[in-house]
Each structure stands twice: as structure tokens, then as C-alpha cells.
Amino acid sequence: MALILELPDLAATPDDEMQRLFPSFDGRWSQQTHQLLAQHGTALLSLNDNWAGTPQNWFCPVCGRHKPELVRLSAQNVLLCRLHRHHDHLRDCGEKTLRRGVPVLDDSAARAIQFSAVAACKTSAERFHERLVCEDCNTADGRAKALLKGVVHPDFSFSPSEIARFIVVTPNRPHEVDEAKARAIWDRVADDIGDRLAFMGHLAERVTAGRHVREGSNYRPNETLALLADLTKAQTEPSSSVYSFRYEFTARSTCDDAAGTSSKPKARRRLRLPTEADLATFNATHPADSQWWAGGPDWTCAGCDRTRFQMLRISNAGEWTAGAHRRAVQIAEDRPEALHFRHGWYGAGPTYRGEETAWICKDCRQIITDTKTAGTGLTDDCLTLEDLRAVLTDVRPHERPDYDRTAAALRAAESADHVDGVADLHEHRTRCAGPSRIDGRSCAAAASPKRTRAIGSCPRWTTITWTPRSIRLCSIGGWARRRPSRRPMTAIAGRRNARRPHQPPSTPLPA
């Protein structure tokens, strides 16, 4: 018996079809989400990937509330549907303790072995495993620690079972925190916390001495996903579509109308300026092969033009923070023969032949993340480097840059052509890297037989094939793909790059 797996174009799949296809999940498309929006009288929604990745009948293991009892309206009339992974911050504290005395070696292989001991020992401080909880239970942990500031260890976290003992639960409202019960819990576990941290100090001495190293990696490939990728590749669908399907599902399922909507004015806090010694200390925590040094010794952010020293700022936790992130800058394809090879007779939007690497700071990267989160169905490519520079409004040393959120949202909403171009570049690379024949057959012979007709007048392009996700021109040497739009055809009919079938090229096709 043959099983045919057809991956739908999620961006164009209606909500009711999403509900039918994915009954074990709960995105912005689900019937329950629509009912909750109507029940609370709003069209604005903030639903994260943790919520979308759980069933509609999920309930919080801490407070016991089901999803309809978890949602509530924000001050900006946004329905909040959010779950979070609650973890023990003692693990982070233990890792910092273990790394503190480890000398940074120049040899990358020796350094990997050296820090394998840190990875092996860092969980020894944990009191509980990470667990998915509702937003109110996760927030109650922080509120309880704020009430007990100066009493509890700053890296202490209440476990899920401990949170359940000091919260007062009400449907569709944040939890009340019983400070006396939270204090009693801390008093019971304080000695254990001190003992765990003392043990981490002892382990740190052993790690510094070169003990507890671990060879290899615990990475295990997803065999089921690899099997599906091979099957779709054998049927001429790019294997990358399987690997990216989870991300497409997240983009189709999540929504954050709450991003950037806070009505509270930002108060500039008193600025704490770093010294060169602070920068030197911060630099010493980054190995020579880390991204922090990838831009070169005199690197400045490609977005805001700040130096390493200028981007160093104090975090909400009171520690110095900065970072470097890789950003791909696409190179336009302008060679006529290459454009004909990749698109045949079909017009196309932006077409790229390669990418260059630029490095941006942590704060500029956060602008891209916030813009993507605030929109619907956006990706990390929603803002180009030029877009990022254009939306910046106020850049100061040792502070987060200010930017025009409205302008960023507009540029991101108009990024469909660019995003399609980047996706096409990656798929083009995948096609070029793979074999041009499948089981001894040409690409044209191996193509989907769903709707096919010959182009008799063209010796190079032999067959045009419609598939659910693309239109392919199959040839002896390879095949070109017309990129599927992320929007309905009615929405792109008037765009300057709208495709016109059977439009002859201005120059002859290459032989």
C-alpha cells in the first residue's frame, strides 16, 4: 500500500482546514481560539509557540487550570494565550561557577574538550526539570522572589510543586502570592540550596584541574524527520521543505498583537557607564572562536555603527551584556543566463546569487526579533540591513537604540518579495548540491505527473509541471522553480513583480 504525504502550503491554508489537519495543536486558527476571542470581545491576540504546540484540552500542571481559564485581556485589549518553560536558574548559576576558573585555550579542539566538563556538570545544581507551565505560574515565581528580595538567593527558583503551594488561583486572573507560605518554603530549602552551590564550587575546582571531561556529543538525529525528508526528495520535493515545515507551522499558528503596545512611557534610568577594565573582563569570557570576535578586532555593528565598547551596557540583571550576531546580506543576481536558468519564461521578484556575512550587535538583532514577533507570519528575513539602519531613530553608547516601530512594521509587511527571494536562493543551492538524476531518470521523468505538458519549441526546457507548492521547469541539467507566494494571488495581483505565465523572455533562452 502506497502512502502519499502532501505537505500543504500553510500560509494559504484556511483556518478550518488547519483545524482538520492538526487537531492535536492549538494555533490562532483553532476553533477554540476563535471562540475565546469572541467570548472576550476582541480581535487582538498574543499566542506563542508553546501554546500552539499543545492540545486544546491542555491544563497547567501547577495551578490545574485549562486553557479557557488561563486566557485574559491585557490593558490594551489583547487576549493573552501564552505558556512558558519554567526552569531552575541554579543551573545557570552553576554553569557560571564552573566556567569562572577555566582558562581559555587557543586550540579549539582542546577548548571543546575542556568545556565538555562544564556541560557534564552544570545540571548538578538543578532541583527540578524544566516544565511547561502557564504564564501566571511562571510570573508567580518571580513575584514571590521579589517579595523575598534580600532573603532568597538571587539565582533561586521555586519548583512547580512549591509554586502550587503559595499561589491563590482564580480563573482568568493573575495569581495572588501568599508571601508567608513562600517564605516558609524558602526556609525549608535554604540549607539544600547552600549545599548545592558549595558542591558546584567543589566541582569547579575539579573542572579547572581538567577533570570530568566528556568525549563526543549527545546529539541524536531525528530519524523520523530524516526518513520523511528522503521520501519527499525521492519524489522530487526538496527535502528542505520537510525540515522547515515546523517553522512554517509556527509562523501560521502564532500571533503577537501585544508586542510594542505597552502604554507605560519608558523612563530613562540612571546610566551606568562601563570602563575599559569592564570591557576587558567581558572580553575574557568569550573564547577566541566565539561570534564576539568573528567581525575582527576593530569590528563595529553593521546596523548602528557602535564599537564593542559602545554596545556594552548593563542588563536588567545588573550584569554587563553585549553580543554579536551573524546577518546574511544577499547579492542580487544580474546575469541574464542565470536568471533564465532559474526562472525560465516566468517573471520573478528579487533573485539572489549569493550572500555575504555582516555582523550586528545584540540590540540590533533584538529589533529584528521584536518586529518579527509583532507581525504575522514573518521570518528573520523580514528586515534587511538597509531596513534596520533606516528605522533607527536614536543611537547612544551603552543603551539600547530607539527605533520607529511603525516604520519597521510597514517595512516588514512589505518584505514578501525579499523573503521569497531568500527562500528561493536557499532552495536553489539545495537543488544544485543534489544529483540531477533520480534512480537513473531525468528530473523531468521523475517529476510529479499531476499536470504536465510539453513545451515542444524549446530544446532545453522539456516539461512544465504543476505541483501543490510550485511550478517547475524540468530539464536535463536541472530544474527551475517559480517561487510560491506567501500571500493569496488576489493580494499580489497588482504588485510590480506579479508573475505572468507564457510571457516570452526579452532575449533568447540559452542553448
Side-chain angles (χ1 to χ4, degrees):
M1 182 181 70
L3 175 64
I4 299 176
L5 177 64
E6 187 173 295
L7 297 180
D9 181 1
L10 296 183
T13 303
D15 286 359
D16 55 349
E17 181 67 6
M18 291 289 293
Q19 171 75 52
R20 186 188 71 82
L21 291 173
F22 307 107
S24 299
F25 298 88
D26 187 17
R28 55 187 166 94
W29 38 262
S30 76
Q31 183 179 2
Q32 178 169 268
T33 300
H34 289 311
Q35 291 173 347
L36 291 173
L37 286 168
Q39 177 183 334
H40 290 269
T42 184
L44 301 177
L45 178 67
S46 178
L47 188 152
N48 66 5
D49 55 346
N50 288 328
W51 186 287
T54 51
Q56 297 179 28
N57 62 353
W58 184 89
F59 64 91
C60 177
V62 178
C63 65
R65 296 181 299 175
H66 286 78
K67 282 188 170 181
E69 301 172 305
L70 298 177
V71 302
R72 67 174 188 278
L73 289 175
S74 71
Q76 290 74 38
N77 205 40
V78 179
L79 189 68
L80 305 179
C81 304
R82 301 191 290 223
L83 306 177
H84 299 277
R85 298 194 177 277
H86 181 60
H87 76 282
D88 193 347
H89 289 277
L90 283 182
R91 179 188 65 192
D92 308 323
C93 178
E95 183 174 4
K96 288 188 291 185
T97 301
L98 294 169
R99 286 179 175 271
R100 193 170 296 144
V102 179
V104 179
L105 302 178
D106 292 332
D107 182 73
S108 59
R111 187 167 55 252
I113 295 175
Q114 183 183 39
F115 281 99
S116 69
V118 175
C121 298
K122 67 181 182 181
T123 59
S124 299
E126 281 184 327
R127 297 193 307 128
F128 58 90
H129 289 289
E130 182 179 273
R131 195 162 193 186
L132 190 65
V133 302
C134 72
E135 184 170 65
D136 294 331
C137 286
N138 193 55
T139 302
D141 170 70
R143 290 184 59 199
K145 289 186 290 187
L147 292 172
L148 299 176
K149 186 175 181 179
V151 177
V152 301
H153 188 279
D155 291 302
F156 167 73
S157 296
F158 287 98
S159 70
S161 62
E162 291 165 350
I163 294 173
R165 294 204 294 269
F166 65 70
I167 57 175
V168 179
V169 180
T170 305
N172 309 111
R173 294 181 62 87
H175 299 321
E176 297 294 330
V177 173
D178 189 321
E179 182 178 354
K181 291 183 178 179
R183 175 63 181 265
I185 292 171
W186 165 255
D187 289 340
R188 285 197 298 271
V189 302
D191 289 342
D192 178 56
I193 301 299
D195 184 58
R196 289 172 184 266
L197 293 177
F199 178 64
M200 295 307 294
H202 176 64
L203 276 179
E205 295 176 359
R206 297 176 61 85
V207 169
T208 303
R211 300 182 179 181
H212 299 288
V213 296
R214 180 179 292 180
E215 182 179 335
S217 168
N218 63 352
Y219 169 74
R220 294 186 61 184
N222 189 322
E223 296 177 355
T224 302
L225 195 61
L227 284 170
L228 290 175
D230 284 351
L231 283 173
T232 54
K233 185 176 181 180
Q235 299 175 45
T236 74
E237 283 288 339
S239 60
S240 59
S241 64
V242 174
Y243 289 110
S244 64
F245 192 73
R246 179 65 178 88
Y247 302 103
E248 295 176 15
F249 177 81
T250 297
R252 177 65 177 84
S253 300
T254 58
C255 179
D256 195 358
D257 295 328
T261 62
S262 176
S263 60
K264 296 181 180 179
K266 283 189 175 181
R268 285 195 179 274
R269 55 184 178 180
R270 189 174 180 180
L271 189 62
R272 179 179 164 189
L273 300 177
T275 64
E276 291 292 344
D278 292 326
L279 178 63
T281 302
F282 183 81
N283 288 342
T285 63
H286 293 76
D289 61 346
S290 71
Q291 292 194 164
W292 180 242
W293 301 109
D298 300 321
W299 166 66
T300 59
C301 173
C304 63
D305 294 324
R306 293 184 300 173
T307 64
R308 284 189 177 89
F309 179 70
Q310 291 172 332
M311 65 183 69
L312 190 65
R313 61 174 176 81
I314 204 72
S315 69
N316 292 333
E319 299 178 349
W320 293 114
T321 184
H325 293 263
R326 186 191 305 271
R327 194 73 186 156
V329 180
Q330 287 71 34
I331 304 170
E333 177 61 85
D334 54 2
R335 297 169 297 175
E337 66 277 8
L339 291 172
H340 283 314
F341 180 80
R342 289 173 63 177
H343 302 299
W345 285 8
Y346 289 88
T351 302
Y352 303 115
R353 65 176 176 181
E355 294 177 329
E356 296 177 339
T357 296
W359 293 92
I360 60 176
C361 68
K362 176 181 180 179
D363 295 329
C364 285
R365 181 64 180 86
Q366 190 61 46
I367 291 174
I368 297 171
T369 300
D370 291 344
T371 303
K372 179 185 74 170
T373 304
T376 299
L378 299 178
T379 71
D380 281 339
D381 296 310
C382 65
L383 291 181
T384 65
L385 193 58
E386 291 75 13
D387 291 333
L388 177 63
R389 295 178 67 90
V391 301
L392 292 174
T393 57
D394 188 12
V395 179
R396 305 186 185 191
H398 318 302
E399 296 185 60
R400 285 183 174 176
D402 289 334
Y403 70 101
D404 188 332
R405 285 172 168 77
T406 302
L410 288 174
R411 287 175 177 266
E414 297 171 353
S415 66
D417 277 348
H418 169 70
V419 172
D420 283 349
V422 175
D424 178 74
L425 171 63
H426 296 162
E427 291 173 3
H428 174 65
R429 287 174 168 174
T430 301
R431 296 193 296 267
C432 291
S436 61
R437 291 178 175 270
I438 301 173
D439 295 333
R441 299 176 294 164
S442 69
C443 293
S448 170
K450 293 194 175 181
R451 288 167 57 187
T452 303
R453 69 178 180 83
I455 303 178
S457 60
C458 179
R460 180 174 181 85
W461 304 102
T462 59
T463 306
I464 181 169
T465 301
W466 282 260
T467 70
R469 301 192 62 169
S470 64
I471 297 176
R472 297 175 181 170
L473 297 175
C474 302
S475 71
I476 300 303
W479 52 273
R481 175 172 179 172
R482 176 186 172 191
R483 297 194 293 269
S485 172
R486 295 177 180 269
R487 301 180 183 178
M489 287 302 295
T490 54
I492 66 171
R495 282 164 42 192
R496 64 180 178 85
N497 288 318
R499 282 71 166 174
R500 296 185 178 91
H502 310 301
Q503 177 182 356
S506 56
T507 58
L509 290 172

Tab-separated table of all heavy atoms in Angstrom, residues 409-446:
chain	number	residue	atom	x	y	z
A	409	ALA	N	7.393	47.936	11.194
A	409	ALA	CA	6.270	47.050	10.880
A	409	ALA	C	5.856	47.177	9.418
A	409	ALA	O	5.542	46.179	8.755
A	409	ALA	CB	5.091	47.350	11.796
A	410	LEU	N	5.856	48.403	8.876
A	410	LEU	CA	5.484	48.615	7.481
A	410	LEU	C	6.503	47.973	6.544
A	410	LEU	O	6.138	47.324	5.558
A	410	LEU	CB	5.359	50.116	7.192
A	410	LEU	CG	4.141	50.822	7.801
A	410	LEU	CD1	4.228	52.324	7.564
A	410	LEU	CD2	2.847	50.270	7.221
A	411	ARG	N	7.790	48.153	6.845
A	411	ARG	CA	8.821	47.549	6.003
A	411	ARG	C	8.734	46.021	6.060
A	411	ARG	O	8.919	45.347	5.035
A	411	ARG	CB	10.202	48.032	6.434
A	411	ARG	CG	10.496	49.474	6.049
A	411	ARG	CD	11.835	49.966	6.613
A	411	ARG	NE	12.123	51.307	6.187
A	411	ARG	CZ	12.851	51.644	5.123
A	411	ARG	NH1	13.364	50.671	4.371
A	411	ARG	NH2	13.073	52.888	4.800
A	412	ALA	N	8.475	45.477	7.249
A	412	ALA	CA	8.363	44.026	7.377
A	412	ALA	C	7.156	43.494	6.612
A	412	ALA	O	7.222	42.423	5.989
A	412	ALA	CB	8.265	43.638	8.850
A	413	ALA	N	6.042	44.244	6.651
A	413	ALA	CA	4.835	43.807	5.952
A	413	ALA	C	5.030	43.804	4.438
A	413	ALA	O	4.339	43.071	3.717
A	413	ALA	CB	3.661	44.712	6.317
A	414	GLU	N	5.970	44.611	3.942
A	414	GLU	CA	6.215	44.700	2.505
A	414	GLU	C	7.419	43.856	2.078
A	414	GLU	O	7.956	44.049	0.983
A	414	GLU	CB	6.449	46.161	2.113
A	414	GLU	CG	5.230	47.057	2.357
A	414	GLU	CD	5.544	48.536	2.160
A	414	GLU	OE1	6.745	48.860	1.960
A	414	GLU	OE2	4.610	49.347	2.214
A	415	SER	N	7.827	42.930	2.927
A	415	SER	CA	9.062	42.171	2.663
A	415	SER	C	8.820	40.856	1.934
A	415	SER	O	9.747	40.067	1.782
A	415	SER	CB	9.770	41.873	3.995
A	415	SER	OG	9.000	40.989	4.800
A	416	ALA	N	7.589	40.597	1.490
A	416	ALA	CA	7.273	39.278	0.920
A	416	ALA	C	8.175	38.929	-0.257
A	416	ALA	O	8.658	37.795	-0.374
A	416	ALA	CB	5.800	39.226	0.499
A	417	ASP	N	8.412	39.890	-1.157
A	417	ASP	CA	9.266	39.610	-2.317
A	417	ASP	C	10.679	39.241	-1.886
A	417	ASP	O	11.278	38.293	-2.405
A	417	ASP	CB	9.303	40.826	-3.249
A	417	ASP	CG	8.100	40.873	-4.182
A	417	ASP	OD1	7.386	39.858	-4.258
A	417	ASP	OD2	7.874	41.916	-4.816
A	418	HIS	N	11.220	40.015	-0.936
A	418	HIS	CA	12.580	39.745	-0.468
A	418	HIS	C	12.659	38.384	0.219
A	418	HIS	O	13.599	37.610	-0.024
A	418	HIS	CB	13.027	40.844	0.489
A	418	HIS	CG	14.290	40.533	1.227
A	418	HIS	ND1	15.522	40.482	0.604
A	418	HIS	CD2	14.511	40.231	2.534
A	418	HIS	CE1	16.451	40.164	1.493
A	418	HIS	NE2	15.866	40.008	2.664
A	419	VAL	N	11.689	38.077	1.061
A	419	VAL	CA	11.681	36.796	1.773
A	419	VAL	C	11.581	35.645	0.780
A	419	VAL	O	12.283	34.623	0.913
A	419	VAL	CB	10.521	36.752	2.789
A	419	VAL	CG1	10.371	35.365	3.388
A	419	VAL	CG2	10.760	37.773	3.906
A	420	ASP	N	10.732	35.785	-0.237
A	420	ASP	CA	10.638	34.752	-1.275
A	420	ASP	C	11.966	34.590	-2.000
A	420	ASP	O	12.374	33.474	-2.343
A	420	ASP	CB	9.546	35.113	-2.278
A	420	ASP	CG	8.148	34.842	-1.728
A	420	ASP	OD1	8.052	34.196	-0.682
A	420	ASP	OD2	7.174	35.296	-2.353
A	421	GLY	N	12.646	35.724	-2.246
A	421	GLY	CA	13.933	35.659	-2.924
A	421	GLY	C	14.980	34.920	-2.112
A	421	GLY	O	15.770	34.140	-2.657
A	422	VAL	N	15.005	35.155	-0.801
A	422	VAL	CA	15.956	34.454	0.071
A	422	VAL	C	15.634	32.964	0.107
A	422	VAL	O	16.540	32.115	0.018
A	422	VAL	CB	15.915	35.056	1.494
A	422	VAL	CG1	16.813	34.254	2.429
A	422	VAL	CG2	16.353	36.514	1.470
A	423	ALA	N	14.347	32.617	0.227
A	423	ALA	CA	13.955	31.206	0.240
A	423	ALA	C	14.333	30.525	-1.078
A	423	ALA	O	14.813	29.388	-1.088
A	423	ALA	CB	12.457	31.079	0.494
A	424	ASP	N	14.135	31.237	-2.186
A	424	ASP	CA	14.487	30.670	-3.481
A	424	ASP	C	15.993	30.441	-3.593
A	424	ASP	O	16.435	29.439	-4.167
A	424	ASP	CB	14.020	31.601	-4.595
A	424	ASP	CG	14.400	31.084	-5.971
A	424	ASP	OD1	13.755	30.128	-6.424
A	424	ASP	OD2	15.350	31.622	-6.576
A	425	LEU	N	16.801	31.359	-3.046
A	425	LEU	CA	18.258	31.187	-3.075
A	425	LEU	C	18.665	29.928	-2.326
A	425	LEU	O	19.478	29.127	-2.814
A	425	LEU	CB	18.936	32.409	-2.456
A	425	LEU	CG	20.452	32.284	-2.221
A	425	LEU	CD1	21.188	32.096	-3.536
A	425	LEU	CD2	20.975	33.510	-1.470
A	426	HIS	N	18.091	29.710	-1.149
A	426	HIS	CA	18.448	28.528	-0.354
A	426	HIS	C	17.993	27.246	-1.045
A	426	HIS	O	18.712	26.238	-1.044
A	426	HIS	CB	17.828	28.645	1.040
A	426	HIS	CG	18.364	29.798	1.826
A	426	HIS	ND1	17.724	30.311	2.933
A	426	HIS	CD2	19.490	30.560	1.660
A	426	HIS	CE1	18.422	31.323	3.419
A	426	HIS	NE2	19.494	31.487	2.659
A	427	GLU	N	16.812	27.278	-1.655
A	427	GLU	CA	16.332	26.097	-2.361
A	427	GLU	C	17.171	25.850	-3.614
A	427	GLU	O	17.431	24.700	-3.990
A	427	GLU	CB	14.858	26.270	-2.717
A	427	GLU	CG	13.956	26.250	-1.484
A	427	GLU	CD	12.514	26.599	-1.815
A	427	GLU	OE1	12.220	26.794	-3.014
A	427	GLU	OE2	11.699	26.693	-0.889
A	428	HIS	N	17.581	26.923	-4.284
A	428	HIS	CA	18.434	26.789	-5.464
A	428	HIS	C	19.753	26.124	-5.094
A	428	HIS	O	20.249	25.253	-5.813
A	428	HIS	CB	18.677	28.174	-6.064
A	428	HIS	CG	19.648	28.182	-7.203
A	428	HIS	ND1	19.407	27.542	-8.398
A	428	HIS	CD2	20.877	28.760	-7.320
A	428	HIS	CE1	20.428	27.724	-9.207
A	428	HIS	NE2	21.348	28.461	-8.576
A	429	ARG	N	20.322	26.509	-3.956
A	429	ARG	CA	21.559	25.885	-3.502
A	429	ARG	C	21.343	24.403	-3.207
A	429	ARG	O	22.198	23.563	-3.504
A	429	ARG	CB	22.077	26.598	-2.255
A	429	ARG	CG	22.678	27.973	-2.538
A	429	ARG	CD	23.025	28.669	-1.253
A	429	ARG	NE	23.843	29.843	-1.482
A	429	ARG	CZ	24.192	30.695	-0.517
A	429	ARG	NH1	23.785	30.489	0.728
A	429	ARG	NH2	24.952	31.746	-0.799
A	430	THR	N	20.196	24.079	-2.598
A	430	THR	CA	19.899	22.678	-2.299
A	430	THR	C	19.784	21.862	-3.580
A	430	THR	O	20.303	20.750	-3.683
A	430	THR	CB	18.588	22.575	-1.499
A	430	THR	OG1	18.714	23.320	-0.280
A	430	THR	CG2	18.264	21.131	-1.166
A	431	ARG	N	19.108	22.428	-4.578
A	431	ARG	CA	18.945	21.714	-5.845
A	431	ARG	C	20.289	21.513	-6.539
A	431	ARG	O	20.566	20.447	-7.081
A	431	ARG	CB	17.993	22.489	-6.768
A	431	ARG	CG	16.573	22.620	-6.246
A	431	ARG	CD	15.637	23.103	-7.323
A	431	ARG	NE	15.939	24.441	-7.796
A	431	ARG	CZ	15.381	25.543	-7.316
A	431	ARG	NH1	14.520	25.460	-6.326
A	431	ARG	NH2	15.688	26.720	-7.818
A	432	CYS	N	21.120	22.560	-6.528
A	432	CYS	CA	22.410	22.456	-7.201
A	432	CYS	C	23.343	21.487	-6.498
A	432	CYS	O	24.208	20.863	-7.118
A	432	CYS	CB	23.078	23.830	-7.274
A	432	CYS	SG	22.225	24.968	-8.387
A	433	ALA	N	23.177	21.355	-5.181
A	433	ALA	CA	24.054	20.456	-4.427
A	433	ALA	C	23.679	19.000	-4.618
A	433	ALA	O	24.496	18.100	-4.426
A	433	ALA	CB	24.004	20.804	-2.942
A	434	GLY	N	22.417	18.714	-5.014
A	434	GLY	CA	21.957	17.337	-5.155
A	434	GLY	C	22.193	16.806	-6.550
A	434	GLY	O	22.621	17.516	-7.462
A	435	PRO	N	21.928	15.510	-6.773
A	435	PRO	CA	22.110	14.896	-8.097
A	435	PRO	C	21.067	15.406	-9.079
A	435	PRO	O	19.969	15.787	-8.694
A	435	PRO	CB	21.922	13.406	-7.826
A	435	PRO	CG	21.053	13.363	-6.607
A	435	PRO	CD	21.446	14.551	-5.773
A	436	SER	N	21.423	15.452	-10.345
A	436	SER	CA	20.492	15.914	-11.371
A	436	SER	C	19.594	14.787	-11.859
A	436	SER	O	18.691	15.002	-12.633
A	436	SER	CB	21.261	16.510	-12.556
A	436	SER	OG	22.091	15.525	-13.145
A	437	ARG	N	19.867	13.560	-11.421
A	437	ARG	CA	19.040	12.430	-11.821
A	437	ARG	C	18.598	11.658	-10.579
A	437	ARG	O	19.291	11.642	-9.574
A	437	ARG	CB	19.795	11.498	-12.758
A	437	ARG	CG	20.060	12.114	-14.123
A	437	ARG	CD	20.863	11.184	-15.010
A	437	ARG	NE	21.010	11.739	-16.330
A	437	ARG	CZ	20.169	11.526	-17.324
A	437	ARG	NH1	19.111	10.772	-17.116
A	437	ARG	NH2	20.358	12.049	-18.505
A	438	ILE	N	17.447	11.034	-10.680
A	438	ILE	CA	16.884	10.273	-9.571
A	438	ILE	C	16.628	8.860	-10.061
A	438	ILE	O	15.816	8.641	-10.964
A	438	ILE	CB	15.572	10.909	-9.067
A	438	ILE	CG1	15.845	12.344	-8.602
A	438	ILE	CG2	14.972	10.093	-7.939
A	438	ILE	CD1	14.581	13.090	-8.245
A	439	ASP	N	17.362	7.899	-9.482
A	439	ASP	CA	17.203	6.498	-9.870
A	439	ASP	C	17.372	6.305	-11.381
A	439	ASP	O	16.631	5.553	-12.025
A	439	ASP	CB	15.829	5.958	-9.450
A	439	ASP	CG	15.699	5.925	-7.940
A	439	ASP	OD1	16.732	5.806	-7.265
A	439	ASP	OD2	14.562	6.024	-7.458
A	440	GLY	N	18.356	7.022	-11.966
A	440	GLY	CA	18.633	6.850	-13.375
A	440	GLY	C	17.696	7.587	-14.302
A	440	GLY	O	17.864	7.570	-15.513
A	441	ARG	N	16.693	8.261	-13.770
A	441	ARG	CA	15.763	9.003	-14.612
A	441	ARG	C	16.137	10.479	-14.602
A	441	ARG	O	16.708	10.987	-13.650
A	441	ARG	CB	14.330	8.849	-14.097
A	441	ARG	CG	13.831	7.421	-14.097
A	441	ARG	CD	12.457	7.362	-13.473
A	441	ARG	NE	12.511	7.700	-12.062
A	441	ARG	CZ	11.446	8.029	-11.352
A	441	ARG	NH1	10.265	8.111	-11.926
A	441	ARG	NH2	11.559	8.305	-10.067
A	442	SER	N	15.775	11.194	-15.644
A	442	SER	CA	15.995	12.631	-15.652
A	442	SER	C	15.019	13.284	-14.692
A	442	SER	O	14.020	12.695	-14.290
A	442	SER	CB	15.795	13.197	-17.058
A	442	SER	OG	14.424	13.120	-17.415
A	443	CYS	N	15.311	14.546	-14.315
A	443	CYS	CA	14.400	15.264	-13.418
A	443	CYS	C	13.010	15.362	-14.021
A	443	CYS	O	12.013	15.291	-13.322
A	443	CYS	CB	14.945	16.665	-13.122
A	443	CYS	SG	16.461	16.657	-12.161
A	444	ALA	N	12.935	15.531	-15.332
A	444	ALA	CA	11.620	15.645	-15.973
A	444	ALA	C	10.839	14.354	-15.832
A	444	ALA	O	9.644	14.354	-15.567
A	444	ALA	CB	11.796	15.999	-17.448
A	445	ALA	N	11.523	13.218	-15.966
A	445	ALA	CA	10.833	11.931	-15.868
A	445	ALA	C	10.426	11.626	-14.446
A	445	ALA	O	9.456	10.914	-14.205
A	445	ALA	CB	11.743	10.822	-16.395
A	446	ALA	N	11.196	12.160	-13.476
A	446	ALA	CA	10.898	11.878	-12.074
A	446	ALA	C	9.924	12.868	-11.481
A	446	ALA	O	9.531	12.725	-10.336
A	446	ALA	CB	12.196	11.901	-11.265
